[in-house]
Amino acid sequence: MRERDEVLTVRDARRRITELIRAAEVCTLTTTSLDGRLVGRPMALQRADFDGELWFFADAGSSTVRQLRVNAEVAVGFHDPDGRVWVSMSGTARDDYDRARAERLWHPGLTGWFPDGVATSGLTLIAVHVTEARCWDARDGRSVGLLGQGGSGSGGGPASAGDDTC
């Protein structure tokens, strides 16, 4: 157990977020619609190590991409059903297509949406630069700031960890 005033290191926070992403596999990405409503949709979480950014595949003409071009502030939520841990992240998003990155992140489960793989017409990537991450552990009701909370707020800064339960 960590002491209440101990700071979770960036490396530890990123490692834990990577573990939680791999356990969850799917998240809800929430954007703001053009008329100001919050809109959430399921998105596949990539299996890459978390480095401060989350990456998603999308259609460049989709409402998701149009919305984040107008208002880049987004929220991402997911949970590890076996560990009974919930994660909430916030940050800024941009569409950022890079074929080499798309090839590294591609997995067969995406073929249903993008039948021609990384060569699918209109395919883009959404990058979410995470500025804050927090998790809740249902086993003991504790909340832990993983990134941004009490830290630099830059998506890579350490957070105060009330307890290392998440």
Side-chain angles (χ1 to χ4, degrees):
M1 296 276 269
R2 294 186 184 271
E3 295 299 321
R4 279 197 106 54
D5 60 350
E6 188 173 342
V7 172
L8 192 63
T9 68
V10 172
R11 179 184 295 155
D12 288 344
R14 288 181 177 182
R15 184 178 317 122
R16 184 61 181 133
I17 291 169
T18 296
E19 292 168 359
L20 292 166
I21 285 170
R22 289 182 178 157
E25 298 181 6
V26 175
C27 70
T28 300
L29 173 65
T30 302
T31 57
T32 304
S33 70
L34 301 180
D35 65 359
R37 292 176 297 114
L38 295 175
V39 181
R41 82 274 299 144
M43 300 290 277
L45 287 160
Q46 301 310 310
R47 296 178 182 102
D49 288 344
F50 177 73
D51 64 359
E53 292 192 317
L54 298 172
W55 291 88
F56 302 99
F57 287 85
D59 183 305
S62 68
S63 60
T64 303
V65 172
R66 288 193 310 272
Q67 290 165 4
L68 65 87
R69 286 178 181 160
V70 173
N71 183 344
E73 295 296 318
V74 299
V76 177
F78 57 91
H79 80 287
D80 169 2
D82 295 330
R84 297 182 49 205
V85 175
W86 283 259
V87 178
S88 175
M89 297 178 158
S90 58
T92 55
R94 68 188 186 283
D95 62 308
D96 184 4
Y97 187 72
D98 172 351
R99 181 158 180 137
R101 183 180 303 277
E103 288 173 353
R104 282 193 311 273
L105 295 174
W106 184 261
H107 60 86
L110 296 166
T111 306
W113 290 273
F114 309 105
D116 295 326
V118 296
T120 301
S121 177
L123 179 71
T124 193
L125 292 172
I126 296 173
V128 175
H129 176 73
V130 177
T131 56
E132 196 166 348
R134 185 154 204 85
C135 71
W136 291 266
D137 188 325
R139 295 168 294 195
D140 61 12
R142 293 196 185 262
S143 171
V144 176
L146 293 173
L147 292 175
Q149 312 248 331
S152 69
S154 67
S160 270
D163 193 354
D164 190 22
T165 57
C166 287

